[in-house]
Structures are given as C-alpha cells and as structure tokens.
Amino acid sequence: MLDINEGGRDTGYFDGDRLQFYFKTTDVTGEIQLPIEIDMAMTGETLHWI
C-alpha cells in the first residue's frame, strides 16, 4: 500500500467506483461492488461478507 506522498490514496472506496488494477505486465479496469450494509471501504481494510 502506498502512502499519500508516493501516490497512494487517502480517501475511501465507494460502491460503483471504477479503479485500475495492476497484475505484473497488464492493467485491468474494474468496478467495486460493496455489500449493501457497507457504505465505504478504506485503503488497507479487509472486508468479510457472505
């Protein structure tokens, strides 16, 4: 996880946010879908749901 000085994120993630995920030599755009009971997720947070 990068801190803000290294270009990291300091705001939360919300349902429907579109992000770029990096996997070795490729990058993929994806959309976050949070469970209905979770409004926001923070960087580094682990979420558990069924």
Side-chain angles (χ1 to χ4, degrees):
M1 179 171 69
L2 297 174
D3 73 17
I4 192 67
N5 296 324
E6 298 172 317
R9 193 175 168 118
D10 66 341
T11 59
Y13 298 95
F14 296 92
D15 196 47
D17 280 358
R18 295 184 56 80
L19 305 171
Q20 231 174 348
F21 300 94
Y22 298 97
F23 302 101
K24 293 192 180 188
T25 60
T26 190
D27 59 312
V28 178
T29 301
E31 183 175 317
I32 294 179
Q33 293 181 342
L34 295 173
I36 192 86
E37 65 274 3
I38 297 177
D39 295 326
M40 178 184 72
M42 291 301 293
T43 302
E45 183 176 16
T46 301
L47 302 176
H48 299 279
W49 68 90
I50 299 175

